[in-house]
Amino acid sequence: MKRLLPLLLAVFLVFSAGLFGESPATATATSRVPIPATPGKVFDLAWVGKILRITDPKISPDGKSLAAVVAHPDYDEDIYASDLVLVDTATGKTRYLTHDRKHVSFPRWSPSGDRIAFLVEDADKHNQVFVLDMAGGESMQLTKSQTSIQQFAWKPDGSAIAFAAADAPPKKTGADKFDDAFEVGDGSFLDKDKALPTHLWLIPAVGGEAKRLTSGEWTLPVAFPPGPPASPIAFTPDGSKIIYVRLEDTYSGDRRYSSPQVLDLATGKSEPITTHTMYSTQPVPSPDGAHVAYIYPRDGTDRNYQDIYVVGGLKGDGDNITRAIDRNFFRALWMPDNKSILTGANDGATAGLWIQPLTGNATRLDLGDITPNTGFWLDATVGNQGQIAFVGTEPHRPSEIYILDTLQSKPRRLTTFHAAFDSLNLGKSEVVTWHSPDKPPRNWTENGILTYPPDYTPGKKLPLVLYIHGGPTSASKDTFSLFAQIIAAQGWLVFEPNYRGSDNFGNDFSRAIIDDSGDGPGRDVFAGLDMLKKRGIVDESNIAVTGWSYGGYMTSWLIGHAQFWKAAIAGAPVTNLLDQYALSDSNVGRATAIGGSPYTGDWMKHWVEQSPITYYDKMTTPTLVLQDVGDYRVTITQGYELYHSLKDRGIKTWFYAYPIGGHSPNDPVRMRDVYRRWIEWLDQYLPHQ
């Protein structure tokens, strides 16, 4: 009998596979893509581990050096271990200022440049302010906040630091520890309590007790990535006041109720700077204190481009100074002349930097083939001497720090963190254009990025993978793209279309997605695909569609509106707009994307018609679904809906969830796993070059 058990088990497995579908062991039908021990001659998973994160450059007051944060992937600890580096602005010589800290962020020079402050996690995993004397010695822990410090700013005379931190929860004992019901408002369905407000504190720069500056149920903003950082706090030049942004409550869906404020340190009273009670953010005083610049949507209308407005003094709504550029701005950086502002935005197939004077036309800086990092923010710094440094990429090189010594000079690559990529055989990319299928005035000339495999033979037909960007307030650009390169390295063409709703072609193009979430963008993608087919380089029987977030929405939409796709990958897919409205972090703030709440008027039919899950019965494409369990931006309920709508009808689908929070994996191990599963799924359906 013992000898028969293995045979009986094998028979049972064969029978059950036929009765219930493929067994988990065989259903993936793919071998795991190996992770090479050393990087190969083309881009692979080993090269992914060579990519560093370079962020937050800050030029020193004397302009001779800059500080920045550099993080490298530590796969054993599954963290991006970050350090503070100092870079000579003349030579690019780099040295590390911190060691073995693991979590370093937010470097800020003292006004005289003799010290630099930054955030470091303490033993309780709370960010605290540390100060390093540039003359030498170890850094000193300045703060002992009960909660993580989110941001800080030096007082102009260097005597104190203001910081923002959430209020500490009240201490409870006995049965009170379990009395934890909370009022639900416009928050995410993942909330486990009502977030406590963030407020301002002041501490002497030599140490001592911190003094609370603000209190109440209102709050300073906090970051909800992906998105811009929390609106920075700033002192006025005389040090008597602090400029900040106030939100009326802590519910994530109410973030739109924001207004710039000025706090008088002598009286402790705050006053609004503008009359706006919604959408106004990122106020920054000029170096001489004569003006305040802030970000506000054009004409005060949500879903319009964000423009830069400038107020004279500390009171008034000011004037829109960037409307003529017609691009979407997230940040204003004052030039030292007090008469102009540096800003940046997505622009066509790249991203641009502009110098915008307070009156008159802007000047776009010549950056060559360098693309500044502009993902919901401009990662740049302006020195007291007028130097501009920024983090950017080139078509065949991941992020480095670049510097313009003057407004007339060309940018210099200041760092060489990714010099090894110079010898790597990467796929060539090019900008492709086509006309939208709509009638005037919406017959735009649209663009996208086409990436070829390394050593591509011109004219050869190859399988094509669409990689559709998220947002939709974003854009694919002709610069280094990790996803595009790792897919192209498999021998496939990669097409990244910029559909209507992208923020690279003007306000009208961006707004065209309102109440047309899928159909209009879908026509744009199909038109771009038709353009590529006419070039005779696409193997039309082997086309896959993929994307994350809004790219996941578009993937789900497209497989419900065409059946020629060979495979699909939907990462964090928006499939049910009703779930987005009711359950996600932005929730009710999404009403303006359609036109009104689904529960008022006749708007419900609009929300249903524009939800990809409505067309589930037309979906026949084998689909991989990937998502974080704790995704507050796109609720995992929507991944489950897509999964069951396919699986229950016998369509091959696999759903892998990561047991973490956030909109996408941000740790090195799970990020690498996303790339690996992407390749593995496509490898089942697409032939190689």
Side-chain angles (χ1 to χ4, degrees):
M1 185 66 183
K2 290 182 179 179
R3 294 180 180 178
L4 288 175
L5 284 176
L7 180 60
L8 291 172
L9 179 59
V11 170
F12 172 75
L13 288 175
V14 171
F15 173 75
S16 61
L19 186 63
F20 301 114
E22 298 167 290
S23 70
T26 61
T28 55
T30 179
S31 59
R32 299 292 282 162
V33 172
I35 300 171
T38 57
K41 294 182 179 180
V42 297
F43 195 61
D44 56 26
L45 292 172
W47 278 103
V48 171
K50 298 292 184 181
I51 297 178
L52 309 182
R53 292 179 173 177
I54 304 167
T55 57
D56 216 357
K58 289 291 176 288
I59 296 176
S60 62
D62 64 8
K64 295 181 179 179
S65 58
L66 64 78
V69 176
V70 176
H72 70 273
D74 181 337
Y75 287 98
D76 291 335
E77 296 289 333
D78 194 25
I79 61 171
Y80 273 91
S82 55
D83 283 297
L84 191 62
V85 300
L86 189 71
V87 184
D88 187 295
T89 55
T91 66
K93 184 179 179 180
T94 301
R95 67 183 178 94
Y96 282 76
L97 296 177
T98 60
H99 303 277
D100 302 322
R101 287 289 189 184
K102 291 188 178 180
H103 299 287
V104 177
S105 62
F106 211 82
R108 297 295 184 269
W109 291 95
S110 65
S112 65
D114 63 333
R115 293 158 291 169
I116 189 167
F118 50 93
L119 295 177
V120 178
E121 273 192 1
D122 63 14
D124 296 322
K125 296 190 179 300
H126 293 151
N127 280 339
Q128 304 291 352
V129 177
F130 281 66
V131 178
L132 178 65
D133 191 322
M134 298 307 293
E138 294 294 319
S139 58
M140 174 193 74
Q141 182 175 341
L142 182 65
T143 60
K144 295 181 180 178
S145 175
Q146 295 183 61
T147 62
S148 274
I149 293 175
Q150 299 161 18
Q151 58 164 310
F152 64 87
W154 284 91
K155 194 173 182 180
D157 64 3
S159 65
I161 285 177
F163 64 87
D167 288 351
K171 294 182 179 180
K172 296 181 179 181
T173 60
D176 289 344
K177 291 186 295 184
F178 309 101
D179 185 9
D180 54 8
F182 65 97
E183 181 183 3
V184 172
D186 294 333
S188 160
F189 86 117
L190 294 169
D191 290 350
K192 295 182 178 180
D193 54 29
K194 186 178 186 297
L196 292 168
T198 291
H199 282 289
L200 291 172
W201 297 73
L202 188 69
I203 189 169
V206 295
E209 186 175 350
K211 175 186 176 183
R212 177 185 278 271
L213 298 178
T214 62
S215 60
E217 292 298 313
W218 63 272
T219 182
L220 273 75
V222 298
F224 280 84
S231 185
I233 60 176
F235 281 89
T236 55
D238 64 3
S240 66
K241 299 177 178 65
I242 295 176
I243 292 173
Y244 67 96
V245 164
R246 167 178 171 140
L247 306 184
E248 294 309 307
D249 62 53
T250 62
Y251 293 117
S252 59
D254 293 339
R255 292 193 294 261
R256 62 196 185 281
Y257 296 107
S258 61
S259 60
Q261 305 278 322
V262 57
L263 168 66
D264 189 310
L265 292 176
T267 65
K269 293 183 179 179
S270 289
E271 292 185 357
I273 295 175
T274 74
T275 62
H276 307 313
T277 58
M278 297 177 71
Y279 308 128
S280 49
T281 186
Q282 310 287 346
V284 187
S286 59
D288 62 2
H291 297 88
V292 173
Y294 68 99
I295 303 295
Y296 188 63
R298 184 174 303 178
D299 303 324
T301 302
D302 192 24
R303 309 291 167 174
N304 268 354
Y305 270 180
Q306 295 188 129
D307 276 315
I308 298 173
Y309 290 70
V310 175
V311 178
L314 296 175
K315 200 72 174 178
D317 292 343
D319 298 314
N320 183 342
I321 65 171
T322 55
R323 187 184 189 108
I325 305 176
D326 199 22
R327 290 297 181 262
N328 193 33
F329 301 109
F330 290 92
R331 191 181 187 191
L333 291 162
W334 283 96
M335 297 300 292
D337 64 1
N338 297 291
K339 299 177 181 179
S340 56
I341 283 172
L342 170 72
T343 190
N346 291 331
D347 184 30
T350 183
L353 294 180
W354 288 265
I355 298 295
Q356 172 66 65
L358 298 187
T359 57
N361 297 326
T363 299
R364 194 182 192 280
L365 302 179
D366 182 2
L367 304 180
D369 65 353
I370 302 167
T371 299
N373 288 4
T374 53
F376 305 107
W377 187 243
L378 173 62
D379 204 0
T381 176
V382 175
N384 293 339
Q385 293 74 31
Q387 301 154 296
I388 296 171
F390 62 94
V391 181
T393 56
E394 298 173 63
H396 289 86
R397 191 152 179 154
S399 293
E400 301 283 6
I401 298 174
Y402 300 83
I403 190 165
L404 290 91
D405 298 304
T406 69
L407 297 183
Q408 292 72 39
S409 62
K410 296 291 181 67
R412 290 186 290 118
R413 185 196 296 150
L414 197 58
T415 59
T416 56
F417 292 111
H418 293 114
F421 280 76
D422 289 345
S423 61
L424 181 60
N425 188 14
L426 290 170
K428 174 183 173 291
S429 63
E430 68 171 280
V431 181
V432 293
T433 61
W434 64 93
H435 290 287
S436 69
D438 293 15
K439 296 179 180 180
R442 289 191 166 188
N443 58 334
W444 303 283
T445 297
E446 301 171 345
N447 75 10
I449 311 302
L450 178 65
T451 302
Y452 299 88
D455 301 322
Y456 171 72
T457 302
K460 184 175 182 179
K461 285 191 174 184
L462 291 179
L464 177 72
V465 178
L466 274 71
Y467 179 66
I468 305 175
H469 72 72
T473 308
S474 182
S476 293
K477 297 178 277 288
D478 188 19
T479 192
F480 181 82
S481 168
L482 191 157
F483 252 114
Q485 289 294 342
I486 203 163
I487 296 170
Q490 312 309 309
W492 306 316
L493 298 169
V494 184
F495 177 41
E496 301 173 86
N498 286 318
Y499 49 90
R500 71 190 67 188
S502 304
D503 67 350
N504 62 329
F505 269 140
N507 190 61
D508 290 344
F509 185 70
S510 182
R511 283 187 60 83
I513 203 171
I514 295 175
D515 200 23
D516 189 13
S517 306
D519 193 44
R523 294 196 303 274
D524 296 336
V525 172
F526 284 131
L529 189 55
D530 287 342
M531 173 272 301
L532 290 179
K533 290 178 180 179
K534 291 176 182 177
R535 292 178 58 173
I537 60 174
V538 177
D539 177 354
E540 297 186 22
S541 62
N542 287 292
I543 302 175
V545 58
T546 72
W548 197 280
S549 192
Y550 209 90
Y553 170 93
M554 289 303 302
T555 297
S556 304
W557 180 271
L558 291 169
I559 65 174
H561 289 77
Q563 287 69 47
F564 61 78
W565 309 105
K566 201 67 178 290
I569 301 174
V574 177
T575 64
N576 188 336
L577 293 179
L578 295 176
D579 282 8
Q580 283 293 90
Y581 182 87
L583 305 177
S584 74
D585 66 322
S586 297
N587 52 80
V588 298
R590 297 182 180 277
T592 53
I594 303 298
S597 163
Y599 307 111
T600 63
D602 64 350
W603 287 111
M604 177 61 77
K605 65 180 181 181
H606 295 247
W607 290 77
V608 172
E609 287 173 355
Q610 294 172 56
S611 294
I613 201 66
T614 300
Y615 310 96
Y616 74 90
D617 59 333
K618 305 293 193 303
M619 299 178 183
T620 60
T621 305
T623 302
L624 172 66
V625 183
L626 300 171
Q627 194 159 13
D628 289 354
V629 168
D631 189 342
Y632 50 72
R633 184 62 43 83
V634 178
T635 61
I636 197 171
T637 55
Q638 300 174 73
Y640 277 100
E641 290 170 37
L642 179 60
Y643 171 67
H644 284 294
S645 72
L646 295 169
K647 180 175 177 289
D648 292 0
R649 295 183 297 113
I651 308 301
K652 186 172 180 179
T653 180
W654 288 92
F655 185 5
Y656 289 94
Y658 298 97
I660 54 174
H663 184 43
S664 62
N666 197 40
D667 59 294
V669 172
R670 294 183 182 89
M671 285 179 64
R672 185 175 62 184
D673 188 72
V674 169
Y675 307 140
R676 177 155 61 175
R677 293 187 187 280
W678 216 274
I679 297 169
E680 288 171 353
W681 187 258
L682 296 175
D683 193 53
Q684 295 183 64
Y685 299 98
L686 301 180
H688 291 270
Q689 181 177 355

